[in-house]
Amino acid sequence: DTGVSQNPRHKITKRGQNVTFRCDPISEHNRLYWYRQTLGQGPEFLTYFQNEAQLEKSRLLSDRFSAERPKGSFSTLEIQRTEQGDSAMYLCASSPNMNTEAFFGQGTRLTVV
Amino acid sequence: GESVGLHLPTLSVQEGDNSIINCAYSNSASDYFIWYKQESGKGPQFIIDIRSNMDKRQGQRVTVLLNKTVKHLSLQIAATQPGDSAVYFCAESGGNEKLTFGTGTRLTIIP
């Protein structure tokens, strides 16, 4: 197992376009988390899944954001009608259980121009 | 590579010396804590964790201390090496299952 994998690593998009990111967690990890990180800040929680169920969403996750984990394995995060303020590093993490170590992927760097 | 944090608290330590990075948390219900290391352009890397029923835990060259009375966490790195240069984040979790991160500390090891 090579750890949490995120694709793409970098994405440049024009304002108003839709983008989708993918996260492949560590095998058999039930929990999958999405975070956003901007320069000079720690990661901020967006949402998390236990298997295919989305259990919590941050208020940071506006209506333009949607996340899915249809089969309880990989997850996608879509941002519709991107804005410049969406520019950030989007991080995915997975863990086997509640309150156990969460392992992060390398992130997807989004730049909205 | 990109810079993770431009206005972070910074700590510079001579190579071979020990370093201590501190973190204060605010949620008294937090019962699980993790230290992460983040290098430029990469995702956070798990270093060590500790649960609230412990006050100290040791790993390889790292020790985490937890003081629940004053809600303070520290990471000690022994015999620092150039590869230890990075931004270090503490993260806490309590009941709501999501990790809440601190602002981070940039550690620079001086050769």
Side-chain angles (χ1 to χ4, degrees):
Chain A
D1 193 299
T2 57
V4 178
S5 176
Q6 291 188 246
N7 288 288
R9 289 294 311 278
H10 303 275
K11 178 71 176 178
I12 300 173
T13 190
K14 292 184 178 179
R15 189 175 53 183
Q17 297 294 305
N18 300 342
V19 294
T20 300
F21 310 140
R22 176 177 171 127
C23 172
D24 288 88
I26 294 171
S27 297
E28 300 181 356
H29 277 195
N30 295 325
R31 293 170 185 269
L32 186 148
Y33 305 83
W34 284 100
Y35 285 80
R36 182 176 71 183
Q37 186 176 30
T38 54
L39 284 177
Q41 302 294 323
E44 297 172 292
F45 171 80
L46 292 178
T47 188
Y48 90 93
F49 294 83
Q50 178 172 333
N51 298 315
E52 65 275 9
Q54 187 173 17
L55 297 186
E56 187 175 346
K57 291 192 290 186
S58 163
R59 62 179 179 274
L60 292 175
L61 218 65
S62 75
D63 291 345
R64 297 184 297 105
F65 288 69
S66 62
E68 295 182 342
R69 195 184 182 195
K71 299 181 180 178
S73 56
F74 74 91
S75 175
T76 58
L77 177 69
E78 180 183 18
I79 309 174
Q80 296 181 326
R81 305 181 302 282
T82 52
E83 302 173 356
Q84 286 189 316
D86 297 331
S87 295
M89 174 77 86
Y90 289 84
L91 294 162
C92 176
S94 70
S95 68
N97 292 302
M98 180 178 73
N99 285 352
T100 57
E101 56 267 33
F103 295 95
F104 281 82
Q106 299 288 44
T108 294
R109 163 62 63 185
L110 173 66
T111 302
V112 182
V113 297
Chain B
E2 73 175 35
S3 175
V4 172
L6 299 178
H7 303 290
L8 297 172
T10 58
L11 175 65
S12 296
V13 175
Q14 202 74 35
E15 181 179 354
D17 287 352
N18 300 333
S19 69
I20 300 176
I21 301 171
N22 297 303
C23 176
Y25 64 94
S26 58
N27 186 357
S28 56
S30 293
D31 56 7
Y32 179 61
F33 305 86
I34 303 179
W35 279 100
Y36 284 94
K37 171 186 180 183
Q38 189 171 27
E39 297 174 277
S40 183
K42 297 184 178 180
Q45 175 187 354
F46 174 90
I47 301 174
I48 191 168
D49 60 357
I50 188 168
R51 300 190 184 278
S52 59
N53 60 352
M54 304 174 67
D55 53 20
K56 180 179 180 178
R57 189 158 188 236
Q58 290 184 293
Q60 187 174 16
R61 286 201 304 119
V62 295
T63 301
V64 55
L65 299 177
L66 175 62
N67 185 329
K68 294 181 288 296
T69 302
V70 296
K71 296 199 280 287
H72 183 268
L73 196 67
S74 68
L75 176 70
Q76 300 176 359
I77 304 174
T80 52
Q81 304 168 357
D84 295 329
S85 293
V87 177
Y88 289 82
F89 292 98
C90 65
E92 58 177 297
S93 174
N96 57 10
E97 304 191 28
K98 64 176 186 282
L99 289 173
T100 300
F101 283 77
T103 54
T105 296
R106 179 182 298 283
L107 175 66
T108 300
I109 306 303
I110 304 167

